[in-house]
Structures are given as C-alpha cells and as structure tokens.
Amino acid sequence: MSQQGDLFRKLVSHCKEYGFIYQSSEIYDGLSAVYDYGPYGVELKNNIKDYWWRAMVQMHENIVGIDSAIFMHPKTWKASGHVDAFNDPLIDNKDSKKRYRADQLVEGYMDKLEDKIEKEVEKARKRFGESFNEELFRDTNERVVKYREEYEMVRQRLATSMGQGDLVDLKNLIDELEIADPDTGSRNWTEVRQFNLMFSTQLGNIAGEEGKLYLRPETAQGIFVNFLNVQKTTRQKIPFGIAQIGKAFRNEIVARQFIFRMREFEQMEMQFFLRPGEELKWYEYWKEARMKWHLAIGTPASKLRFKDHDNLAHYANAAVDVQFEFPFGFKELEGIHSRTDFDLGSHQSLSGKKMQYFDPDLNESYVPYVVETSIGCDRMFLAMLSEALVEETVPDAQGEDASRVVLKLHPALAPVKCAVLPLVRNKEELPAKAREVFNKLKLSFLCQYDEKDAIGRRYRRQDAIGTPYCVTVDFQTLEDNTVTIRERDTMLQERIPIDRIEEIVLKRVDMKNLLVG
Ligand code: ATP
C-alpha cells in the first residue's frame, strides 16, 4: 500500500478507535456512505461550525444567519434546476456489476497521467541535483510533453462532453482511453446515462406526484427563498450576505473515501447578494477571504490550491474550487461561485413573487446577483484530521525512543481543551484535589478528568484526541497549590500555580486567535 493509502487507513481506524466517527448502523453491517459522529467527533465538528459561523456572521456586520427547514416546497427544486439537471453521468460495469460516475473514471485516468509526470520530474530532480531546472524539464522532456498533451486533450474532451451533456461522447472517451473497472480490470461497460441525485419522499396527506417532497440537496435554496424576509426584517442594504449551516442529502453513485463523499452531510453556505456588475469584484474578495480562513488554522499553503472550473454551470459566470491535498490527492473542499441572478430570477418567475431589491443609491429596483461560498463541514473535518494526525518518535520517561500518535489540531478547534490528571489514584487526597481543579476549570472550557492507568498512558490518550494541555496534580500540589502543565506538541512541562491554569489555556484556545488578521 502507498504511504498515502496507509495514512488514510490509519486515519479511518483512528477515528473509530478514539470515538470521532463510527459507521452508521454498524450492528446491522452499516449503511453505505452514512456516518455517525462520536463524542470527540461531535466536539470537533461543532468547533469547525463555530469557527465558520463566527468568521462569517460575527465578523461581518453585513452577514446574518438563518436556519431553514430541510423540507421545502417541491417547486423550489424545479426553479433551482435540480429536478431537471441535478444529475451525474452513471455507468455500470456488466461483469463486476459495479456502478461508477463516468466523469470520475476519466478524471482517475487524468490523475494517473499527472502522477506519471510527477514521477518523471522527481527522477530527473534526483539525477540532476542542484542544477535541475524544473520548468525547462517540464517544457522539453519528451515523455513529460507527451503526457501533458494527452492530459490536455482528455481534459478538453471531458469538459466539452460534460458541458454539452453529450453522454455518447463520454462513453466513447472511456472506450478510446481503454479505461477499465478499477476493481476488476474489466472493460465491459454499459452506455452512460443520467442519474438524479435527489432523495425523494412522500407527504402523508397528499397522494401521488403532488405530495412528492425532496430532501434538500443543498442548503442554499433555503437562503434564496428567504431573501426578502431577511432583507426586510434586518434592514440590510446591498451588499449583504445570509449564512446557513445544515444537513444536505445526495444519492451519490459512488460514495467512497470515508466522509469525503457521503449521502447525508452538512454544508456551511453563505450567499452574498450584490449589485449586478459588481460580482467579479466580490468573487475575488471571497476567494481571498476564504483562503485566509483555511490558512489561519495552520494548514500549509502547499496543501491548498484554487482550481477554476473547466465547466461553468449555465447560471455561473465564474467558479472556483478550493482544493485540499487529501491522502488520496487534491480534491474539492469548498466551492466559490458567482451565480448571477439565476436563483432569485428563477424563483421570481416560478412563484410570481417579486424577488427584487430597491437600491436607494441608484434609485432603482433589480434582482440582486449572488456570489456564494459553499463548504462541506465533513470534508473540512477530514481535511483537518488528515493534516493533524501525526505519528512521531519521542523520548519516553526513561529517555528511550518511543512512538506516539498525536492530533496536532489547532487548540481553538481541539475537542477537549484540558485534561486534569491526579498523578496516582491510590492516595485519596490527589484525586480529590484534582477533582477540585477540574470542577473549577470546567466552567470555562471542555475538560476531562482521568485517573485510570499510568500517567504516561493518560498523556498518550490525550495526545491521540488532540488535547492541547494536560494538568497533573501531584504531592507537591498538596503542599503549595502548584501543578505541572504539559503542552501537547512540545511535551514541555512547566510548574505553575493552580490559579494560572485557566489563563494559560484560555489564551491558546481562544477562537479570537483565528479571527484576527
Ligand atoms: P463534488 O464535485 O465533489 O461532487 P460538488 O461540486 O457537487 O462536489 P457543491 O455542490 O459545490 O459540491 O457543494 C459544496 C460543498 O459541499 C463541496 O465543496 C463539498 O465540500 C460538500 N459536499 C458536496 N457533496 C458532498 C458529499 N456527498 N459528501 C460530503 N460533502 C459534500
């Protein structure tokens, strides 16, 4: 298994072992692509949501939040285009009976070409050492040029066939590239056909089509249909935004890669309403703001990149993904889209209700344009864990090499902020004193009290869930009211008075650290 594959396998088992994520309905062998968040998972997820909410709503005077219902009038999805066009191209392998997304099979082929290019570059780097000119090599090496040309040809062909909904050409491309079933190697494919990703259900009191409801496939439409309510009740002036966090549901064809692609997931979306003609200015603003948000938690810039959409949706006039380098490669983490007046305009046409804003500065009414930022909370969770999970060699109590697994999460997002540990539990005074400290600290942040096992093992348990600080109550504490405080990443221990613990921990776990600058 590749190093990255190995990291991913470890991450998945770490999530289960330490109570971050469980397979849904596991006792019944699980439900595919649906997951439950465990005790530490829910804390981390709540912290991610809190960080996003504060960055959007608390930090912007002109952004307000809502929480709209999952069920919406079925016409919503007609207006938004989801009933007619929220499809993925599906292809079945006749031998393995496995189902794939045709565009993803082609993308997989392109990923392999990229890997081949990178391998050539790495080989040459080793061969030429100091004098290696990477740019020149990429432009002139025969093999690299051939791979790059092929990549570009495939990219363009995929973009055109997807853009035009040309499923026949998509199938031809798969045949021409001799793409095989990744699991079995079979090339015995069906035709490509469209598959709608919305889950539907039925209202109890209305039979037939009339009572058909959908589970929302995105939270954005709850914002659009409330645009006027919010604008009027908050007296916001354009430009202003509406933010929402909530569940979304998609009947994904291929749902692999753990929580990266789920059938039930959570989105954090913000729609920014603005004057027509100013959309590209705001699009650039939000691109920059969102990248800053990602970088603030310590994600290295090399792990993040923008990727323009090859294929603009019919309603968009600019669209970019923020991609993160997951253990399985660079993939979409967030989308930033300039959606023009498509959504409000469609709702206006279908509902017959005016979706217009009177602009006092221009003295005219118009349907606002929208720039949206849309990020999956679960994908953010996965990105953070894959960056934070580290296995390292550190000295043990005897100074020998030992390995430890540590989650180097930003302290403001870590599930538990501080663990309080009596050095030993067989002397009653120590647990009693430690409980006293714990009861005081728990008023300020999430703490954990733990007295089971040797102190070293307790430190390791806290490292594994990312707790930034461990406070140990020992015999000296009984004499002078001091404790040792151990910092997760450096493992340095310092002796401090009990009265200072709260201040030290609060300083590092404060969300403010992420919101400034
Ligand atoms: P993809 O191309 O990966 O299917 P998308 O372009 O359909 O994603 P959007 O409709 O732009 O995604 O949704 C916004 C965000 O919601 C994505 O950037 C992603 O973080 C998240 N998201 C979308 N689908 C899923 C899913 N099935 N599971 C988890 N998160 C998802």
Side-chain angles (χ1 to χ4, degrees):
M1 188 179 287
S2 71
Q3 220 182 344
Q4 293 301 68
D6 194 35
L7 170 72
F8 191 48
R9 195 181 45 74
K10 282 188 183 149
L11 190 153
V12 174
S13 56
H14 191 88
C15 280
K16 167 139 197 233
E17 191 182 340
Y18 287 95
F20 282 87
I21 296 170
Y22 312 121
Q23 174 77 61
S24 155
S25 328
E26 198 184 293
I27 59 165
Y28 295 105
D29 295 333
L31 182 62
S32 146
V34 186
Y35 291 91
D36 298 337
Y37 284 80
Y40 300 119
V42 69
E43 294 294 340
L44 176 56
K45 198 174 176 209
N46 283 341
N47 292 343
I48 293 173
K49 290 193 268 190
D50 191 29
Y51 173 37
W52 184 88
W53 191 264
R54 284 172 191 245
M56 287 294 177
V57 178
Q58 185 176 321
M59 297 300 288
H60 290 90
E61 273 177 66
N62 61 346
I63 298 184
V64 292
I66 61 164
D67 181 17
S68 69
I70 286 172
F71 289 132
M72 299 184 71
H73 194 286
K75 280 189 180 167
T76 310
W77 307 110
K78 190 75 192 154
S80 68
H82 284 83
V83 172
D84 298 319
F86 193 51
N87 301 319
D88 274 344
L90 171 121
I91 191 166
D92 287 305
N93 188 282
K94 292 186 203 161
D95 296 330
S96 70
K97 309 281 179 246
K98 291 212 157 138
R99 200 154 253 204
Y100 294 93
R101 250 172 74 177
D103 56 330
Q104 285 180 352
L105 286 178
V106 179
E107 279 168 9
Y109 183 90
M110 289 163 64
D111 286 346
K112 281 192 190 134
L113 285 174
E114 257 185 344
D115 286 349
K116 284 182 187 166
I117 295 172
E118 294 316 312
K119 269 195 192 128
E120 292 294 335
V121 172
E122 277 321 300
K123 257 194 329 202
R125 193 192 310 282
K126 279 198 190 121
R127 192 157 15 107
F128 294 114
E130 291 276 292
S131 61
F132 182 52
N133 181 336
E134 182 175 331
E135 208 175 315
L136 187 70
F137 181 80
R138 283 182 189 268
D139 287 346
T140 52
N141 177 273
E142 217 173 288
R143 246 176 288 177
V144 171
V145 170
K146 197 177 103 252
Y147 291 142
R148 284 176 64 180
E149 281 170 2
E150 186 179 1
Y151 183 95
E152 196 43 35
M153 182 280 287
V154 177
R155 190 190 67 74
Q156 277 182 21
R157 187 88 179 267
L158 178 65
T160 313
S161 54
M162 289 295 288
Q164 297 174 348
D166 187 345
L167 302 184
V168 174
D169 191 54
L170 194 53
K171 171 68 189 333
N172 289 342
L173 186 59
I174 288 174
D175 289 338
E176 283 164 36
L177 298 174
E178 300 186 350
I179 296 177
D181 182 329
D183 283 346
T184 64
S186 157
R187 296 199 185 99
N188 193 6
W189 296 111
T190 61
E191 296 309 304
V192 178
R193 61 181 200 283
Q194 295 288 21
F195 177 80
N196 192 288
L197 299 184
M198 281 199 294
F199 281 103
S200 63
T201 184
Q202 189 73 29
L203 267 179
N205 57 347
I206 307 174
E209 269 301 299
E210 288 286 289
K212 190 169 175 183
L213 285 188
Y214 296 101
L215 297 186
R216 68 178 175 200
E218 62 175 28
T219 58
Q221 297 305 323
I223 295 179
F224 291 124
V225 299
N226 277 302
F227 159 70
L228 279 183
N229 283 337
V230 174
Q231 193 272 321
K232 286 185 177 143
T233 48
T234 60
R235 294 181 301 122
Q236 286 285 350
K237 283 173 79 179
I238 266 177
F240 77 94
I242 304 178
Q244 163 154 247
I245 299 178
K247 289 269 175 138
F249 304 82
R250 294 184 188 180
N251 200 355
E252 299 281 0
I253 298 168
V254 187
R256 295 204 193 99
Q257 292 159 331
F258 196 36
I259 57 169
F260 179 82
R261 190 175 298 286
M262 302 199 285
R263 298 206 162 96
E264 173 180 343
F265 59 101
E266 212 158 353
Q267 288 187 314
M268 308 190 284
E269 296 198 297
M270 193 279 302
Q271 311 293 323
F272 199 69
F273 300 92
L274 44 97
R275 218 178 253 175
E278 293 192 347
E279 66 273 20
L280 294 182
K281 179 180 93 185
W282 287 110
Y283 174 72
E284 290 305 325
Y285 171 88
W286 283 110
K287 267 178 77 172
E288 196 188 321
R290 294 304 302 145
M291 188 54 95
K292 268 196 190 153
W293 185 89
H294 287 284
L295 292 171
I297 59 167
T299 308
S302 60
K303 289 279 182 102
L304 291 161
R305 71 181 186 194
F306 286 120
K307 177 95 176 28
D308 285 318
H309 283 205
D310 287 329
N311 224 333
L312 281 184
H314 56 285
Y315 51 78
N317 63 3
V320 70
D321 291 339
V322 177
Q323 292 190 331
F324 172 79
E325 190 175 13
F326 288 95
F328 38 85
F330 271 102
K331 298 276 175 222
E332 172 176 347
L333 174 57
E334 169 160 16
I336 299 162
H337 312 125
S338 171
R339 296 177 73 118
T340 67
D341 59 356
F342 171 79
D343 301 272
L344 290 180
S346 303
H347 287 305
Q348 177 168 279
S349 308
L350 199 62
S351 68
K353 307 273 168 18
K354 275 217 161 111
M355 293 297 235
Q356 297 194 349
Y357 169 80
F358 176 75
D359 192 325
D361 299 330
L362 297 180
N363 203 22
E364 66 178 64
S365 294
Y366 52 79
V367 177
Y369 270 38
V370 169
V371 169
E372 95 171 339
T373 71
S374 171
I375 175 168
C377 182
D378 315 86
R379 272 193 203 176
M380 186 62 202
F381 188 110
L382 184 60
M384 283 186 53
L385 277 199
S386 41
E387 193 49 40
L389 184 64
V390 177
E391 209 176 323
E392 59 186 17
T393 306
V394 291
D396 66 10
Q398 285 76 40
E400 304 282 321
D401 274 359
S403 87
R404 75 159 179 166
V405 173
V406 53
L407 263 190
K408 294 191 172 176
L409 293 166
H410 191 289
L413 299 173
V416 176
K417 307 301 186 196
C418 180
V420 182
L421 319 167
L423 184 64
V424 288
R425 64 171 159 168
N426 48 5
K427 291 266 181 254
E428 241 170 58
E429 307 94 303
L430 288 192
K433 185 74 184 170
R435 281 245 171 243
E436 196 187 303
V437 174
F438 169 76
N439 284 331
K440 192 167 157 241
L441 293 178
K442 77 180 183 191
L443 295 169
S444 303
F445 35 74
L446 189 64
C447 291
Q448 214 172 56
Y449 173 83
D450 188 5
E451 58 176 28
K452 199 165 166 284
D453 297 323
I455 191 75
R457 288 186 71 175
R458 279 180 276 165
Y459 285 153
R460 294 289 181 271
R461 270 206 296 271
Q462 295 300 330
D463 287 344
I465 60 167
T467 308
Y469 289 106
C470 288
V471 161
T472 304
V473 171
D474 56 17
F475 293 105
Q476 195 180 325
T477 313
L478 302 177
E479 286 162 21
D480 63 5
N481 260 339
T482 62
V483 290
T484 60
I485 186 162
R486 170 188 181 270
E487 201 270 330
R488 179 193 68 199
D489 298 346
T490 58
M491 299 197 307
L492 289 178
Q493 299 195 22
E494 205 190 334
R495 190 131 211 129
I496 55 162
I498 287 175
D499 291 349
R500 282 201 54 218
I501 307 172
E502 186 181 342
E503 165 207 329
I504 291 177
V505 177
L506 271 183
K507 197 165 163 207
R508 288 229 27 228
V509 305
D510 197 341
M511 195 73 81
K512 218 192 308 182
N513 298 331
L514 294 174
L515 299 173
V516 290

